[in-house]
């Protein structure tokens, strides 16, 4: 794994002491540039990325309609940031909770999703607990292990607990998770929305509708089509973005075509200006990719410049 800044003819301005980052081409797993990518960090708000993709994976496997309404549990409004103003007993569609969780760092929505699915999992397994959200978080950690996220341990569904007990991760692990999530067309659709109107249903009242805006500052720029902004933390800002290029198409001698897809994933943690750093790394990453292409896509002999993300 690349632990220090790696570049070929392209400079990176000085990073703050705790800042970590990585630019990686998603389809090949080629690490183009990285710094402090293995250093443990607080999982923080980007935890919601794992919650969102796990919700979509579960809905697909269980054949659950994400338009289904679920009840906000008493614990959810106390979980952390609650921008929708959800109250215990309110109802919200899984789809709308997912939008608010992913686009707006909504701890209450994330906790609602996790609690509902945790209960469903426990019912299927025939054993109930007093902490269904904890059951969901265990599944988050199973997913992390399956993706070889060796430095990641999720503690809750949102990474926004006031106690600061929000689990741990590292930049390369979040790059793995970003690659996995963006493979899913449903997740990619959610992540690219600039804004969405979401509704919830208070007890004894009429529906309330709120416009949720995507907090990804680079969305729609530099071919960025996801992943998500994580916002600020104790040590600075964090951000994960996906920048998509059109595929490389080559004609083969037998008349067939070979296609090489191209997607750059950039993850920044604990930065003074995560958006500016990510923007710089997108430009740098694509330049390094072009150099790699010109070299014939040659990799290092030891293979340490490649990250393999399993297809689950």
């Amino acid at each position: 794994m690349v632990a220090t800044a790696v570049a070929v003819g392209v400079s990176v301005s000085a990073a703050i002491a705790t800042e970590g980052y990585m630019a990686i081409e998603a389809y090949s797993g080629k690490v183009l540039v990285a710094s402090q990518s293995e250093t443990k960090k607080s999982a923080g708000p980007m935890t919601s990325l794992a919650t969102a993709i796990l919700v979509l994976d579960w809905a697909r496997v269980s054949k659950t309609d994400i338009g289904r309404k679920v009840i906000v549990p008493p614990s959810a409004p106390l979980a952390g940031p609650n921008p929708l103003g959800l109250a215990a007993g309110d109802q919200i569609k899984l789809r709308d909770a997912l939008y608010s969780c992913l686009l707006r760092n909504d701890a209450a929505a994330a906790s609602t999703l996790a609690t509902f699915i945790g209960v469903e999992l426990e019912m299927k397994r025939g054993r109930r607990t007093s902490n269904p959200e904890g059951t969901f978080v265990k599944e988050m950690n199973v997913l992390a292990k399956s993706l070889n996220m060796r430095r990641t341990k999720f503690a809750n569904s949102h990474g926004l607990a006031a106690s600061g007990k929000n689990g741990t991760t590292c930049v390369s692990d979040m790059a793995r998770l970003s690659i996995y999530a963006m493979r899913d067309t449903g997740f990619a659709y959610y992540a690219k929305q600039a804004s969405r109107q979401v509704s919830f249903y208070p007890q004894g009242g009429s529906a309330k509708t709120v416009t949720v805006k995507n907090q990804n500052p680079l969305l729609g720029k530099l071919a960025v089509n996801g992943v998500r902004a994580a916002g600020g933390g104790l040590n600075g800002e964090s951000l994960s973005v996906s920048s998509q290029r059109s595929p490389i198409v080559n004609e083969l001698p037998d008349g067939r075509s070979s296609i090489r897809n191209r997607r750059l994933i950039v993850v920044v943690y604990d930065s003074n200006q995560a958006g500016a750093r990510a923007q710089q790394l997108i430009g740098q990453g694509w330049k390094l990719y072009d150099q790699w292409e010109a070299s014939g896509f040659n990799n290092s002999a030891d293979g340490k410049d490649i990250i393999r993300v399993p297809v689950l």
Side-chain angles (χ1 to χ4, degrees):
M1 181 57 56
V2 184
T4 56
V6 177
V8 182
V10 183
S11 65
V12 178
S13 61
I16 61 176
T18 61
E19 185 184 64
Y21 55 77
M22 175 178 284
I24 177 173
E25 199 287 307
Y27 293 99
S28 62
K30 174 72 171 180
V31 177
L32 299 162
V33 59
S35 177
Q36 297 195 50
S37 60
E38 304 301 320
T39 303
K40 277 194 174 183
K41 307 284 188 181
S42 171
M46 235 179 317
T47 298
S48 296
L49 191 158
T51 295
I53 187 59
L54 190 58
V55 168
L56 290 169
D57 283 349
W58 170 83
R60 181 173 57 254
V61 171
S62 65
K63 298 181 181 179
T64 299
D65 182 359
I66 57 173
R68 176 176 176 175
K69 290 180 183 177
V70 299
I71 298 174
V72 177
S75 59
L78 306 175
N82 182 13
L84 296 181
L86 296 174
D90 292 350
Q91 294 187 57
I92 187 169
K93 293 178 180 178
L94 291 172
R95 177 190 301 111
D96 287 344
L98 192 55
Y99 272 121
S100 197
C101 164
L102 186 60
L103 272 58
R104 198 171 174 177
N105 295 340
D106 187 334
S111 182
T112 297
L113 289 165
T115 300
F116 170 73
I117 294 174
V119 168
E120 293 288 304
L121 291 170
E122 290 178 357
M123 290 177 63
K124 182 177 180 180
R125 296 166 183 172
R127 58 179 186 273
R128 295 295 302 273
T129 74
S130 60
N131 182 20
E133 181 172 355
T135 298
F136 180 86
V137 173
K138 287 181 181 178
E139 295 301 317
M140 294 171 66
N141 286 314
V142 169
L143 174 62
K145 184 176 181 180
S146 298
L147 296 176
N148 297 321
M149 297 168 64
R150 296 185 178 90
R151 289 174 174 79
T152 296
K153 181 72 173 180
F154 295 114
N156 54 47
S157 61
H158 47 78
L160 294 163
S163 66
K165 296 179 180 179
N166 288 310
T168 57
T169 190
C170 68
V171 168
S172 67
D173 280 359
M174 277 299 168
R176 289 175 181 273
L177 185 60
S178 298
I179 290 171
Y180 174 76
M182 287 300 292
R183 286 175 182 167
D184 185 276
T185 55
F187 179 95
Y189 177 81
Y190 280 82
K192 73 180 181 180
Q193 301 303 307
S195 66
R196 293 291 293 192
Q197 284 193 327
V198 304
S199 299
F200 64 98
Y201 308 85
Q203 292 188 83
S206 56
K208 292 186 178 180
T209 301
V210 179
T211 299
V212 174
K213 294 184 178 180
N214 197 322
Q215 294 184 337
N216 187 338
L218 298 181
L219 189 67
K221 306 173 185 177
L222 303 173
V224 169
N225 60 350
V227 173
R228 71 177 302 273
L234 294 176
N235 298 312
E237 300 173 345
S238 301
L239 179 65
S240 175
V241 298
S242 162
S243 174
Q244 190 86 26
R245 274 186 175 181
S246 57
I248 299 173
V249 180
N250 292 314
E251 296 296 330
L252 301 176
D254 61 4
R256 294 180 300 165
S257 298
S258 69
I259 299 175
R260 178 181 283 269
N261 292 308
R262 299 181 292 175
R263 173 184 290 146
L264 187 68
I265 295 291
V266 170
V267 176
V268 180
Y269 250 91
D270 296 340
S271 174
N272 283 331
Q273 293 182 308
R277 172 63 77 192
Q279 182 172 344
Q280 179 188 29
L281 287 167
I282 290 170
Q284 182 181 3
W286 281 127
K287 287 181 181 178
L288 291 171
Y289 181 89
D290 291 340
Q291 293 177 24
W292 183 49
E293 179 185 352
S295 76
F297 298 108
N298 293 321
N299 297 318
S300 64
D302 59 14
K304 290 184 178 181
D305 56 344
I306 299 293
I307 289 179
R308 302 293 184 190
V309 179
V311 177
L312 303 181

